[in-house]
Amino acid sequence: MAEAAQPRSHRVVVVGAGIGGLVSALLLAQRGLQVTLVEAAAAPGGKMRQLVVDGVPIDAGPTVFTMRWVFDQILAQAGSSLDALVGLQPLPVLARHAWRDTPTLDLHADLQASADAIARFAGPAEGRRYLGFCDEARRVYQRLEGPHIRSQRPSVLRMVRDLGPGGLATLTGLGPFASLWTRLGRHFHDPRLRQLFGRYATYCGASPWLAPATLMLIAHVEQSGVWSVRGGMHALPLALAALARERGASLHFGQAVQRILVRDGRACGVRLADGRELPADAVVFNGDASALAQGLLGADVKPAAAAVPRARRSLSALTWAVHARCSGFALERHNVFFCDDYRREFDDLLRRRQLPQQGTVYVCAQDRGDAAHPPHGRERLLCLVNAPADGDSRPFDPSEIEPCLQRSQDLLQHCGLQLEAGAPQVLSSPATFHQLFPGTGGALYGAASHGWMALFRRSGSTSRLPGLYLAGGSVHPGPGVPMAAMSGRLAAETLLAHLDSTSRSRRGATYGGTSTPSATTAGTG
Ligand SMILES: Cc1cc2nc3c(=O)[nH]c(=O)nc-3n(C[C@H](O)[C@H](O)[C@H](O)COP(=O)(O)OP(=O)(O)OC[C@H]3O[C@@H](n4cnc5c(N)ncnc54)[C@H](O)[C@@H]3O)c2cc1C
């Protein structure tokens, strides 16, 4: 990030208080800019939202917190820390996995404990193969952290260069051209393990048959630590919003931005749904980049980002946040109940574009491993099955949802978990997500990470429109809480660098006696 403090006279409007928008607002306010954040929802967090069910708050978005170093770095830049803001607790068990008529399998924070558990579950050779898989996942992560995760925006050429001598051979060796499913078949002989690790593709809303093998790096990310956040995941955006305010940002909720204003080919402010206009030197957009490409923020900004056709959208989800008594199955905090036919699940989602006939069910038991809320009586659960991102083309009404819920309930029961019948719950379908996150059809992770080029297709933090910057899970480096946070930082860094270079060129022009542009706009986009 540029070193010099920026004068408060530079005005930035941040649209959206998702994790990317909050990080941008925080870092820009910290650097002395005049930041106004405008959010359509009543509270910060975006997908990191909370629902009140039966009078208790339930996290209804992300539940797995990883890569804490991303927040450690961002918050250090802002003069704070995760411990000061929320507090994290490492989870000794990463997740419990269940199949019909099979004992459960836990993955542990301790690598050898996981290998031992796999050896007991599927035999000693499979335990050894797991360690080989983790080795490869670590190598892929280490190779890609610099050239992809931390880069401003990767291109094939830049990545080959950044991978050092033999860059192309290294890139090929990392497995971008093979599918995750194929590569997992080289490591695991037990189909249940292939299914378990193939599920990592869904962390980006992708199919293991279409996602590149490089996504195995997620295994390394989880192995490096999964934490629970004190007070729940939603506590993090609340704390970031409070910190951004402390640093001088002005935050406004319940106010949708209807237009991004453009003058002389530059973003110059926003118009709110109530008609008020907020002029700005630069705008950071934290909604899904598809909303721009569809013209939802005005025809002038349509070319600012690439459109994502329906077929390239990532997955959506059907979720139910439920407050229920549970019995018959020892829930961990994170639990996955696998369906019998994984291929069929993805054919339903992506080819037949329907809720799965047999869906894998994820259950986050939020009172497990949280001393403040020991499970006693009813407990807080978020249940999730993957769904096609068609929330803009059909309503997902009860005739479609009820059978899917029933089939999910049957799977849970078959694995031993009884959920209290008729317990209070709040459902969210792809149509709900489309309404909350315009332009997406309910896709929760931007464009799907399908094929090796997907990595390079995402927009970077600099949009095609000068003065307009992009932050969030739909742009580089991609979806997930830590990645969206990184994109927020990238947007802030790019914007500051542009301001800095514009200021320097203006100073240079003034010193040289050349006339300078009279526009108040500051960035060069
Ligand atoms: C059910 C679910 C489970 C998930 N699980 C995990 C997980 O376990 N771990 C993980 O790391 N990630 C997970 N994710 C993904 C993660 O939540 C997202 O990648 C991340 O939170 C996205 O942040 P973002 O910065 O893109 O902002 P978003 O969360 O997309 O928020 C964007 C904000 O912009 C606002 N906005 C948009 N347009 C306008 C406008 N015109 N005017 C005003 N405001 C506007 C929206 O209201 C919204 O609040 C999950 C997501 C979901 C939905």
Side-chain angles (χ1 to χ4, degrees), residues 17-241:
I19 215 72
L22 288 168
V23 166
S24 288
L26 171 63
L27 294 178
L28 292 168
Q30 168 80 14
R31 291 299 305 276
L33 274 68
Q34 199 181 315
V35 177
T36 305
L37 182 149
V38 192
E39 163 59 54
K47 296 182 180 84
M48 223 170 177
R49 68 199 176 117
Q50 201 169 55
L51 292 168
V52 175
V53 183
D54 196 24
V56 295
I58 300 184
D59 277 328
T63 51
V64 181
F65 187 88
T66 55
M67 296 174 81
R68 67 165 290 167
W69 61 267
V70 172
F71 283 94
D72 287 336
Q73 288 182 358
I74 288 169
L75 290 170
Q77 255 178 295
S80 186
S81 70
L82 271 173
D83 288 334
L85 285 194
V86 283
L88 298 183
Q89 206 181 334
L91 293 178
V93 174
L94 304 183
R96 176 155 291 168
H97 304 87
W99 291 260
R100 282 178 214 262
D101 310 319
T102 301
T104 55
L105 170 64
D106 290 352
L107 288 185
H108 300 262
D110 180 77
L111 184 68
Q112 191 56 48
S114 294
D116 293 344
I118 289 177
R120 284 192 300 276
F121 180 79
E126 210 67 339
R128 284 192 296 278
R129 285 192 278 267
Y130 167 70
L131 290 174
F133 165 70
C134 288
D135 257 2
E136 189 179 355
R138 179 178 41 77
R139 277 198 306 276
V140 171
Y141 178 85
Q142 287 170 345
R143 282 295 193 171
L144 289 183
E145 188 188 290
H148 174 60
I149 297 173
R150 289 177 188 266
S151 76
Q152 266 292 344
R153 192 189 173 193
S155 72
V156 181
L157 281 177
R158 226 173 296 139
M159 189 176 277
V160 167
R161 189 198 60 204
D162 292 351
L163 284 167
L168 188 58
T170 309
L171 180 63
T172 310
L174 292 177
F177 310 118
S179 76
L180 179 61
W181 189 256
T182 306
R183 187 60 72 93
L184 288 172
R186 278 206 218 158
H187 285 284
F188 297 108
H189 296 185
D190 188 312
R192 296 167 303 179
L193 295 176
R194 205 172 176 187
Q195 187 180 26
L196 189 161
F197 294 105
R199 182 174 164 273
Y200 285 146
T202 65
Y203 283 30
C204 310
S207 152
W209 280 271
L210 299 172
T214 44
L215 278 192
M216 71 168 67
L217 64 80
I218 294 173
H220 177 71
V221 166
E222 281 210 343
Q223 196 57 61
S224 307
V226 174
W227 287 265
S228 68
V229 178
R230 199 184 307 133
M233 291 290 268
H234 186 62
L236 182 60
L238 289 177
L240 286 174

Side-chain angles (χ1 to χ4, degrees), residues 437-463:
F437 309 111
T440 62
L444 296 172
Y445 313 87
S449 301
H450 289 161
W452 74 279
M453 274 305 287
L455 207 68
F456 306 103
R457 274 203 211 105
R458 283 180 188 270
S459 302
S461 56
T462 310
S463 83

Side-chain angles (χ1 to χ4, degrees), residues 366-379:
Q366 298 175 18
D367 296 316
R368 307 277 169 154
D370 184 344
H373 299 276
H376 174 69
R378 282 183 168 160
E379 58 181 300

Side-chain angles (χ1 to χ4, degrees), residues 354-371:
Q354 62 185 26
L355 291 176
Q357 281 302 309
Q358 276 194 31
T360 294
V361 186
Y362 165 73
V363 177
C364 178
Q366 298 175 18
D367 296 316
R368 307 277 169 154
D370 184 344

